Amino acid sequence: ADFQCPHCKDAQANVDKLAADFPKARFVFQNFPLPQHPAAAGASAYGICVTKQGGSTAFFSFAAAVFDGQDGLASADGATLTLNSAVTKAGLDPVAIAACAKTPATIAAVEASVKLSQDLKITQTPTLLINGRQVPATAPYDTVKQIILYQAKLDGVVAQ
C-alpha cells in the first residue's frame, strides 16, 4: 500500500473488517510508495520505525491514523503534522520516529519493500495477497471474505 493513495485508504476498511473477522490471521503490510505521491516514502519510513519501536499493534494504529488524516499529506508541513500525530496516537515519540525515519537503514528498508513489489510484478496500489494469491483489494467486503474462506478450506485451515 501507499499511505498517500486514496484507494489504499478506501481498502483499509476491508482490512480492518478482515482483522476483526479473522483474529488469528497474519497481516503483513508492505510499503509501495508511488513516485507521484511525494509524502508516501516518508510515511513508509515512519511506519517502519513505528514497527521497530512499537511492534505490529503500534504500526496498525499508526497506519489507521495516517489514512484517517491522509489529506494532510498534501503539503510538506501537513505531512509532518499528520505523521507526528499518527505516531503519538500509536503511543510513541514523534522525535525518535522522525530521527529513525531518516537513517540509511530505514530508507533501504523502504526501497527493499518497493523492490519486492516490483519483483512480484505488482504495479498498483492497493494490492491484497491472500496466501500468495492476488485478489482485488477494493472488492466488496463479502467477496474478499468468501475468497479467504475458500482459500482456507483449500489449505485445510480453520478460518475463524
Side-chain angles (χ1 to χ4, degrees):
D2 171 325
F3 283 113
Q4 207 170 351
C5 164
H7 302 294
C8 296
K9 177 181 177 177
D10 294 343
Q12 188 62 34
N14 273 358
V15 173
D16 291 343
K17 288 180 192 174
L18 291 171
D21 283 350
F22 300 96
K24 293 181 181 180
R26 181 172 174 242
F27 288 86
V28 177
F29 185 99
Q30 287 293 325
N31 293 291
F32 191 26
L34 300 173
Q36 65 266 36
H37 295 144
S44 295
Y46 267 64
I48 287 168
C49 293
V50 165
T51 304
K52 283 182 187 176
Q53 295 184 23
S56 293
T57 301
F59 170 78
F60 285 108
S61 173
F62 165 82
V66 172
F67 283 128
D68 287 346
Q70 189 180 69
D71 291 343
L73 299 177
S75 70
D77 289 343
T80 300
L81 291 172
T82 298
L83 296 175
N84 287 343
S85 174
V87 169
T88 300
K89 286 179 183 174
L92 299 172
D93 176 19
V95 174
I97 297 298
C100 171
K102 294 177 184 169
T103 66
T106 301
I107 293 166
V110 173
E111 291 168 354
S113 189
V114 170
K115 183 173 181 339
L116 174 63
S117 298
Q118 292 167 339
D119 290 348
L120 293 172
K121 308 289 188 237
I122 293 171
T123 59
Q124 63 185 12
T125 60
T127 297
L128 179 64
L129 299 170
I130 299 171
N131 284 5
R133 294 193 174 119
Q134 190 170 333
V135 299
T138 55
Y141 177 73
D142 288 337
T143 301
V144 176
K145 184 174 180 179
Q146 288 305 312
I147 292 168
I148 291 171
L149 291 170
Y150 177 77
Q151 182 64 48
K153 184 176 179 181
L154 286 178
D155 293 344
V157 176
V158 176
Q160 292 182 345

